[in-house]
Amino acid sequence: MHSPVGRRLPAYSTALGRAILAEHPADVREALVPDAIDPITTHTVTERDAVLAIIDKAADLGYAAESDESCIGVRCFGVALPFARPAIDGLSVAVPMSRLDGAREDFIIETLLSVKARLSMEFAHSVR
């Protein structure tokens, strides 16, 4: 996996971006996903309705995931962080798919959601 410093990818095509977009109201999400989506890899979801459905699912789950869409051979997981509403910060984990099994995937997701929950509690207490 190679990701140069400063590389920018469209939010609607990455796990982290989708997790952050999922924190926005549905009408805002729709405005942020273009009609024409250029693929980053051959696995990038390019159908707008499918991308919006993925983002809707991330809103329900509290995290987003993608495989091979922004980097071949890598599965990514992302959560939005609670420091602003809608979210502008997030946390993600990228894992080579060759090292990923169901148990490790579950552990990563549980850990990300746990960190998100802890930060939400800490942030809520610090704002008072």
Side-chain angles (χ1 to χ4, degrees):
M1 177 178 165
H2 174 73
S3 184
V5 173
R7 180 181 184 205
R8 292 178 181 232
L9 297 172
Y12 47 80
S13 294
T14 68
L16 182 57
R18 290 171 178 173
I20 291 173
L21 288 173
E23 296 287 318
H24 289 74
D27 59 326
V28 174
R29 290 181 215 158
E30 289 183 19
L32 294 171
V33 176
D35 291 331
I37 297 173
D38 294 326
I40 299 167
T41 73
T42 57
H43 297 282
T44 304
V45 177
T46 58
E47 182 185 304
R48 184 174 189 271
D49 288 340
V51 170
L52 289 169
I54 292 167
I55 296 168
D56 288 343
K57 182 178 178 182
D60 292 339
L61 296 173
Y63 73 93
E66 59 96 348
S67 297
D68 290 324
E69 290 189 64
S70 60
C71 185
I72 296 294
V74 176
R75 182 152 168 82
C76 299
F77 307 90
V79 295
L81 296 178
F83 307 125
R85 287 287 174 233
I88 56 172
D89 302 295
L91 181 64
S92 67
V93 175
V95 183
M97 289 171 51
S98 61
R99 296 183 185 171
L100 192 62
D101 59 26
R104 183 166 288 168
E105 182 171 323
D106 290 344
F107 177 74
I108 291 167
I109 293 166
E110 290 169 13
T111 301
L112 285 170
L113 291 173
S114 174
V115 168
K116 178 180 179 175
R118 282 191 310 225
L119 289 172
S120 294
M121 286 184 3
E122 290 295 323
F123 184 69
H125 287 50
S126 69
V127 183
R128 292 183 181 176

PDB file of all heavy atoms in Angstrom, residues 56-85:
ATOM      1  N   ASP A  56     -25.792   5.598   3.594  1.00  0.00           N
ATOM      2  CA  ASP A  56     -26.949   5.409   4.481  1.00  0.00           C
ATOM      3  C   ASP A  56     -26.693   4.262   5.454  1.00  0.00           C
ATOM      4  O   ASP A  56     -27.005   4.348   6.648  1.00  0.00           O
ATOM      5  CB  ASP A  56     -28.219   5.118   3.677  1.00  0.00           C
ATOM      6  CG  ASP A  56     -28.747   6.327   2.928  1.00  0.00           C
ATOM      7  OD1 ASP A  56     -28.345   7.474   3.248  1.00  0.00           O
ATOM      8  OD2 ASP A  56     -29.571   6.129   2.004  1.00  0.00           O
ATOM      9  N   LYS A  57     -26.120   3.180   4.949  1.00  0.00           N
ATOM     10  CA  LYS A  57     -25.807   2.027   5.798  1.00  0.00           C
ATOM     11  C   LYS A  57     -24.778   2.418   6.862  1.00  0.00           C
ATOM     12  O   LYS A  57     -24.894   2.021   8.022  1.00  0.00           O
ATOM     13  CB  LYS A  57     -25.279   0.864   4.955  1.00  0.00           C
ATOM     14  CG  LYS A  57     -24.976  -0.377   5.757  1.00  0.00           C
ATOM     15  CD  LYS A  57     -24.511  -1.516   4.867  1.00  0.00           C
ATOM     16  CE  LYS A  57     -24.173  -2.737   5.700  1.00  0.00           C
ATOM     17  NZ  LYS A  57     -23.670  -3.843   4.876  1.00  0.00           N
ATOM     18  N   ALA A  58     -23.797   3.217   6.480  1.00  0.00           N
ATOM     19  CA  ALA A  58     -22.796   3.690   7.444  1.00  0.00           C
ATOM     20  C   ALA A  58     -23.458   4.518   8.535  1.00  0.00           C
ATOM     21  O   ALA A  58     -23.074   4.434   9.711  1.00  0.00           O
ATOM     22  CB  ALA A  58     -21.712   4.502   6.735  1.00  0.00           C
ATOM     23  N   ALA A  59     -24.456   5.305   8.172  1.00  0.00           N
ATOM     24  CA  ALA A  59     -25.179   6.099   9.172  1.00  0.00           C
ATOM     25  C   ALA A  59     -25.873   5.182  10.176  1.00  0.00           C
ATOM     26  O   ALA A  59     -25.879   5.453  11.380  1.00  0.00           O
ATOM     27  CB  ALA A  59     -26.187   7.016   8.488  1.00  0.00           C
ATOM     28  N   ASP A  60     -26.430   4.081   9.693  1.00  0.00           N
ATOM     29  CA  ASP A  60     -27.103   3.125  10.574  1.00  0.00           C
ATOM     30  C   ASP A  60     -26.119   2.368  11.466  1.00  0.00           C
ATOM     31  O   ASP A  60     -26.388   2.144  12.648  1.00  0.00           O
ATOM     32  CB  ASP A  60     -27.915   2.109   9.752  1.00  0.00           C
ATOM     33  CG  ASP A  60     -29.105   2.738   9.060  1.00  0.00           C
ATOM     34  OD1 ASP A  60     -29.562   3.824   9.483  1.00  0.00           O
ATOM     35  OD2 ASP A  60     -29.580   2.148   8.063  1.00  0.00           O
ATOM     36  N   LEU A  61     -24.978   1.973  10.903  1.00  0.00           N
ATOM     37  CA  LEU A  61     -24.005   1.157  11.632  1.00  0.00           C
ATOM     38  C   LEU A  61     -23.086   1.967  12.543  1.00  0.00           C
ATOM     39  O   LEU A  61     -22.532   1.433  13.500  1.00  0.00           O
ATOM     40  CB  LEU A  61     -23.139   0.366  10.651  1.00  0.00           C
ATOM     41  CG  LEU A  61     -23.850  -0.675   9.784  1.00  0.00           C
ATOM     42  CD1 LEU A  61     -22.879  -1.244   8.761  1.00  0.00           C
ATOM     43  CD2 LEU A  61     -24.435  -1.767  10.653  1.00  0.00           C
ATOM     44  N   GLY A  62     -22.848   3.232  12.200  1.00  0.00           N
ATOM     45  CA  GLY A  62     -21.904   4.050  12.957  1.00  0.00           C
ATOM     46  C   GLY A  62     -20.482   3.969  12.433  1.00  0.00           C
ATOM     47  O   GLY A  62     -19.576   4.593  12.984  1.00  0.00           O
ATOM     48  N   TYR A  63     -20.274   3.227  11.370  1.00  0.00           N
ATOM     49  CA  TYR A  63     -18.958   3.121  10.734  1.00  0.00           C
ATOM     50  C   TYR A  63     -19.152   2.790   9.257  1.00  0.00           C
ATOM     51  O   TYR A  63     -20.238   2.376   8.838  1.00  0.00           O
ATOM     52  CB  TYR A  63     -18.092   2.038  11.393  1.00  0.00           C
ATOM     53  CG  TYR A  63     -18.524   0.631  11.074  1.00  0.00           C
ATOM     54  CD1 TYR A  63     -17.966  -0.069  10.007  1.00  0.00           C
ATOM     55  CD2 TYR A  63     -19.496  -0.020  11.832  1.00  0.00           C
ATOM     56  CE1 TYR A  63     -18.370  -1.357   9.696  1.00  0.00           C
ATOM     57  CE2 TYR A  63     -19.903  -1.305  11.536  1.00  0.00           C
ATOM     58  CZ  TYR A  63     -19.341  -1.964  10.471  1.00  0.00           C
ATOM     59  OH  TYR A  63     -19.743  -3.238  10.153  1.00  0.00           O
ATOM     60  N   ALA A  64     -18.097   2.977   8.484  1.00  0.00           N
ATOM     61  CA  ALA A  64     -18.127   2.619   7.066  1.00  0.00           C
ATOM     62  C   ALA A  64     -16.944   1.705   6.774  1.00  0.00           C
ATOM     63  O   ALA A  64     -15.936   1.716   7.488  1.00  0.00           O
ATOM     64  CB  ALA A  64     -18.055   3.871   6.196  1.00  0.00           C
ATOM     65  N   ALA A  65     -17.080   0.938   5.718  1.00  0.00           N
ATOM     66  CA  ALA A  65     -15.997   0.047   5.287  1.00  0.00           C
ATOM     67  C   ALA A  65     -15.963   0.034   3.765  1.00  0.00           C
ATOM     68  O   ALA A  65     -16.965   0.306   3.110  1.00  0.00           O
ATOM     69  CB  ALA A  65     -16.225  -1.364   5.818  1.00  0.00           C
ATOM     70  N   GLU A  66     -14.801  -0.250   3.238  1.00  0.00           N
ATOM     71  CA  GLU A  66     -14.660  -0.448   1.792  1.00  0.00           C
ATOM     72  C   GLU A  66     -13.499  -1.384   1.529  1.00  0.00           C
ATOM     73  O   GLU A  66     -12.561  -1.459   2.306  1.00  0.00           O
ATOM     74  CB  GLU A  66     -14.520   0.876   1.036  1.00  0.00           C
ATOM     75  CG  GLU A  66     -13.345   1.744   1.421  1.00  0.00           C
ATOM     76  CD  GLU A  66     -12.117   1.585   0.554  1.00  0.00           C
ATOM     77  OE1 GLU A  66     -12.025   0.651  -0.255  1.00  0.00           O
ATOM     78  OE2 GLU A  66     -11.207   2.402   0.702  1.00  0.00           O
ATOM     79  N   SER A  67     -13.606  -2.113   0.420  1.00  0.00           N
ATOM     80  CA  SER A  67     -12.562  -3.056   0.008  1.00  0.00           C
ATOM     81  C   SER A  67     -12.150  -2.765  -1.422  1.00  0.00           C
ATOM     82  O   SER A  67     -13.011  -2.704  -2.307  1.00  0.00           O
ATOM     83  CB  SER A  67     -13.075  -4.494   0.074  1.00  0.00           C
ATOM     84  OG  SER A  67     -13.406  -4.841   1.390  1.00  0.00           O
ATOM     85  N   ASP A  68     -10.862  -2.582  -1.623  1.00  0.00           N
ATOM     86  CA  ASP A  68     -10.309  -2.425  -2.972  1.00  0.00           C
ATOM     87  C   ASP A  68     -10.805  -1.190  -3.714  1.00  0.00           C
ATOM     88  O   ASP A  68     -10.506  -1.026  -4.882  1.00  0.00           O
ATOM     89  CB  ASP A  68     -10.634  -3.645  -3.847  1.00  0.00           C
ATOM     90  CG  ASP A  68      -9.887  -4.893  -3.446  1.00  0.00           C
ATOM     91  OD1 ASP A  68      -8.729  -4.778  -3.034  1.00  0.00           O
ATOM     92  OD2 ASP A  68     -10.476  -5.987  -3.567  1.00  0.00           O
ATOM     93  N   GLU A  69     -11.556  -0.304  -3.080  1.00  0.00           N
ATOM     94  CA  GLU A  69     -12.121   0.841  -3.796  1.00  0.00           C
ATOM     95  C   GLU A  69     -11.158   2.013  -3.903  1.00  0.00           C
ATOM     96  O   GLU A  69     -11.205   2.764  -4.876  1.00  0.00           O
ATOM     97  CB  GLU A  69     -13.421   1.298  -3.148  1.00  0.00           C
ATOM     98  CG  GLU A  69     -14.547   0.313  -3.339  1.00  0.00           C
ATOM     99  CD  GLU A  69     -15.867   0.868  -2.883  1.00  0.00           C
ATOM    100  OE1 GLU A  69     -16.322   1.858  -3.492  1.00  0.00           O
ATOM    101  OE2 GLU A  69     -16.440   0.330  -1.914  1.00  0.00           O
ATOM    102  N   SER A  70     -10.312   2.197  -2.891  1.00  0.00           N
ATOM    103  CA  SER A  70      -9.350   3.296  -2.958  1.00  0.00           C
ATOM    104  C   SER A  70      -7.915   2.789  -3.085  1.00  0.00           C
ATOM    105  O   SER A  70      -7.033   3.544  -3.469  1.00  0.00           O
ATOM    106  CB  SER A  70      -9.485   4.218  -1.742  1.00  0.00           C
ATOM    107  OG  SER A  70      -9.264   3.519  -0.547  1.00  0.00           O
ATOM    108  N   CYS A  71      -7.708   1.521  -2.781  1.00  0.00           N
ATOM    109  CA  CYS A  71      -6.387   0.897  -2.911  1.00  0.00           C
ATOM    110  C   CYS A  71      -6.583  -0.612  -3.061  1.00  0.00           C
ATOM    111  O   CYS A  71      -7.179  -1.247  -2.183  1.00  0.00           O
ATOM    112  CB  CYS A  71      -5.535   1.220  -1.682  1.00  0.00           C
ATOM    113  SG  CYS A  71      -3.843   0.613  -1.799  1.00  0.00           S
ATOM    114  N   ILE A  72      -6.093  -1.162  -4.141  1.00  0.00           N
ATOM    115  CA  ILE A  72      -6.251  -2.598  -4.393  1.00  0.00           C
ATOM    116  C   ILE A  72      -5.537  -3.395  -3.297  1.00  0.00           C
ATOM    117  O   ILE A  72      -4.412  -3.088  -2.917  1.00  0.00           O
ATOM    118  CB  ILE A  72      -5.687  -2.978  -5.780  1.00  0.00           C
ATOM    119  CG1 ILE A  72      -6.496  -2.289  -6.885  1.00  0.00           C
ATOM    120  CG2 ILE A  72      -5.654  -4.483  -5.987  1.00  0.00           C
ATOM    121  CD1 ILE A  72      -7.933  -2.752  -7.001  1.00  0.00           C
ATOM    122  N   GLY A  73      -6.240  -4.406  -2.782  1.00  0.00           N
ATOM    123  CA  GLY A  73      -5.656  -5.285  -1.774  1.00  0.00           C
ATOM    124  C   GLY A  73      -5.806  -4.791  -0.354  1.00  0.00           C
ATOM    125  O   GLY A  73      -5.284  -5.398   0.571  1.00  0.00           O
ATOM    126  N   VAL A  74      -6.543  -3.697  -0.176  1.00  0.00           N
ATOM    127  CA  VAL A  74      -6.687  -3.102   1.157  1.00  0.00           C
ATOM    128  C   VAL A  74      -8.164  -2.940   1.490  1.00  0.00           C
ATOM    129  O   VAL A  74      -8.966  -2.515   0.659  1.00  0.00           O
ATOM    130  CB  VAL A  74      -5.983  -1.724   1.213  1.00  0.00           C
ATOM    131  CG1 VAL A  74      -6.210  -1.041   2.553  1.00  0.00           C
ATOM    132  CG2 VAL A  74      -4.488  -1.891   0.950  1.00  0.00           C
ATOM    133  N   ARG A  75      -8.511  -3.294   2.726  1.00  0.00           N
ATOM    134  CA  ARG A  75      -9.860  -3.054   3.263  1.00  0.00           C
ATOM    135  C   ARG A  75      -9.729  -1.974   4.321  1.00  0.00           C
ATOM    136  O   ARG A  75      -8.820  -2.027   5.158  1.00  0.00           O
ATOM    137  CB  ARG A  75     -10.443  -4.334   3.851  1.00  0.00           C
ATOM    138  CG  ARG A  75     -11.863  -4.160   4.387  1.00  0.00           C
ATOM    139  CD  ARG A  75     -12.621  -5.482   4.318  1.00  0.00           C
ATOM    140  NE  ARG A  75     -13.873  -5.465   5.049  1.00  0.00           N
ATOM    141  CZ  ARG A  75     -15.018  -4.962   4.584  1.00  0.00           C
ATOM    142  NH1 ARG A  75     -15.061  -4.408   3.387  1.00  0.00           N
ATOM    143  NH2 ARG A  75     -16.113  -5.010   5.309  1.00  0.00           N
ATOM    144  N   CYS A  76     -10.605  -0.994   4.264  1.00  0.00           N
ATOM    145  CA  CYS A  76     -10.552   0.133   5.194  1.00  0.00           C
ATOM    146  C   CYS A  76     -11.842   0.216   6.003  1.00  0.00           C
ATOM    147  O   CYS A  76     -12.922  -0.106   5.494  1.00  0.00           O
ATOM    148  CB  CYS A  76     -10.352   1.441   4.445  1.00  0.00           C
ATOM    149  SG  CYS A  76      -8.829   1.518   3.514  1.00  0.00           S
ATOM    150  N   PHE A  77     -11.699   0.698   7.221  1.00  0.00           N
ATOM    151  CA  PHE A  77     -12.814   0.917   8.130  1.00  0.00           C
ATOM    152  C   PHE A  77     -12.674   2.336   8.674  1.00  0.00           C
ATOM    153  O   PHE A  77     -11.562   2.765   8.972  1.00  0.00           O
ATOM    154  CB  PHE A  77     -12.766  -0.066   9.300  1.00  0.00           C
ATOM    155  CG  PHE A  77     -12.670  -1.496   8.873  1.00  0.00           C
ATOM    156  CD1 PHE A  77     -11.435  -2.097   8.679  1.00  0.00           C
ATOM    157  CD2 PHE A  77     -13.816  -2.242   8.639  1.00  0.00           C
ATOM    158  CE1 PHE A  77     -11.332  -3.415   8.268  1.00  0.00           C
ATOM    159  CE2 PHE A  77     -13.723  -3.556   8.225  1.00  0.00           C
ATOM    160  CZ  PHE A  77     -12.486  -4.153   8.037  1.00  0.00           C
ATOM    161  N   GLY A  78     -13.784   3.048   8.822  1.00  0.00           N
ATOM    162  CA  GLY A  78     -13.687   4.412   9.326  1.00  0.00           C
ATOM    163  C   GLY A  78     -14.875   4.792  10.180  1.00  0.00           C
ATOM    164  O   GLY A  78     -15.990   4.293   9.983  1.00  0.00           O
ATOM    165  N   VAL A  79     -14.619   5.680  11.138  1.00  0.00           N
ATOM    166  CA  VAL A  79     -15.673   6.270  11.963  1.00  0.00           C
ATOM    167  C   VAL A  79     -15.486   7.776  11.973  1.00  0.00           C
ATOM    168  O   VAL A  79     -14.364   8.283  11.894  1.00  0.00           O
ATOM    169  CB  VAL A  79     -15.671   5.746  13.423  1.00  0.00           C
ATOM    170  CG1 VAL A  79     -15.987   4.261  13.480  1.00  0.00           C
ATOM    171  CG2 VAL A  79     -14.360   6.037  14.128  1.00  0.00           C
ATOM    172  N   ALA A  80     -16.604   8.473  12.078  1.00  0.00           N
ATOM    173  CA  ALA A  80     -16.563   9.915  12.272  1.00  0.00           C
ATOM    174  C   ALA A  80     -16.390  10.172  13.762  1.00  0.00           C
ATOM    175  O   ALA A  80     -16.860   9.399  14.596  1.00  0.00           O
ATOM    176  CB  ALA A  80     -17.864  10.539  11.773  1.00  0.00           C
ATOM    177  N   LEU A  81     -15.694  11.249  14.099  1.00  0.00           N
ATOM    178  CA  LEU A  81     -15.474  11.591  15.503  1.00  0.00           C
ATOM    179  C   LEU A  81     -16.374  12.760  15.907  1.00  0.00           C
ATOM    180  O   LEU A  81     -16.752  13.580  15.068  1.00  0.00           O
ATOM    181  CB  LEU A  81     -13.993  11.902  15.741  1.00  0.00           C
ATOM    182  CG  LEU A  81     -13.067  10.705  15.512  1.00  0.00           C
ATOM    183  CD1 LEU A  81     -11.609  11.098  15.712  1.00  0.00           C
ATOM    184  CD2 LEU A  81     -13.432   9.539  16.421  1.00  0.00           C
ATOM    185  N   PRO A  82     -16.695  12.846  17.190  1.00  0.00           N
ATOM    186  CA  PRO A  82     -17.776  13.712  17.669  1.00  0.00           C
ATOM    187  C   PRO A  82     -17.422  15.164  17.984  1.00  0.00           C
ATOM    188  O   PRO A  82     -18.143  15.818  18.713  1.00  0.00           O
ATOM    189  CB  PRO A  82     -18.175  13.002  18.968  1.00  0.00           C
ATOM    190  CG  PRO A  82     -16.876  12.489  19.484  1.00  0.00           C
ATOM    191  CD  PRO A  82     -16.151  12.018  18.254  1.00  0.00           C
ATOM    192  N   PHE A  83     -16.351  15.679  17.435  1.00  0.00           N
ATOM    193  CA  PHE A  83     -15.902  17.002  17.858  1.00  0.00           C
ATOM    194  C   PHE A  83     -16.642  18.147  17.190  1.00  0.00           C
ATOM    195  O   PHE A  83     -16.514  19.293  17.605  1.00  0.00           O
ATOM    196  CB  PHE A  83     -14.395  17.131  17.643  1.00  0.00           C
ATOM    197  CG  PHE A  83     -13.630  16.017  18.293  1.00  0.00           C
ATOM    198  CD1 PHE A  83     -12.762  15.243  17.562  1.00  0.00           C
ATOM    199  CD2 PHE A  83     -13.796  15.726  19.643  1.00  0.00           C
ATOM    200  CE1 PHE A  83     -12.052  14.209  18.159  1.00  0.00           C
ATOM    201  CE2 PHE A  83     -13.103  14.688  20.248  1.00  0.00           C
ATOM    202  CZ  PHE A  83     -12.229  13.937  19.506  1.00  0.00           C
ATOM    203  N   ALA A  84     -17.404  17.883  16.154  1.00  0.00           N
ATOM    204  CA  ALA A  84     -18.213  18.891  15.475  1.00  0.00           C
ATOM    205  C   ALA A  84     -19.438  18.188  14.904  1.00  0.00           C
ATOM    206  O   ALA A  84     -19.411  16.989  14.655  1.00  0.00           O
ATOM    207  CB  ALA A  84     -17.415  19.554  14.355  1.00  0.00           C
ATOM    208  N   ARG A  85     -20.499  18.933  14.716  1.00  0.00           N
ATOM    209  CA  ARG A  85     -21.708  18.401  14.085  1.00  0.00           C
ATOM    210  C   ARG A  85     -22.093  19.308  12.950  1.00  0.00           C
ATOM    211  O   ARG A  85     -22.331  20.473  13.184  1.00  0.00           O
ATOM    212  CB  ARG A  85     -22.857  18.282  15.084  1.00  0.00           C
ATOM    213  CG  ARG A  85     -22.686  17.157  16.059  1.00  0.00           C
ATOM    214  CD  ARG A  85     -22.914  15.814  15.384  1.00  0.00           C
ATOM    215  NE  ARG A  85     -22.601  14.733  16.304  1.00  0.00           N
ATOM    216  CZ  ARG A  85     -21.769  13.750  16.024  1.00  0.00           C
ATOM    217  NH1 ARG A  85     -21.176  13.683  14.866  1.00  0.00           N
ATOM    218  NH2 ARG A  85     -21.537  12.807  16.893  1.00  0.00           N
TER     219      ARG A  85
END
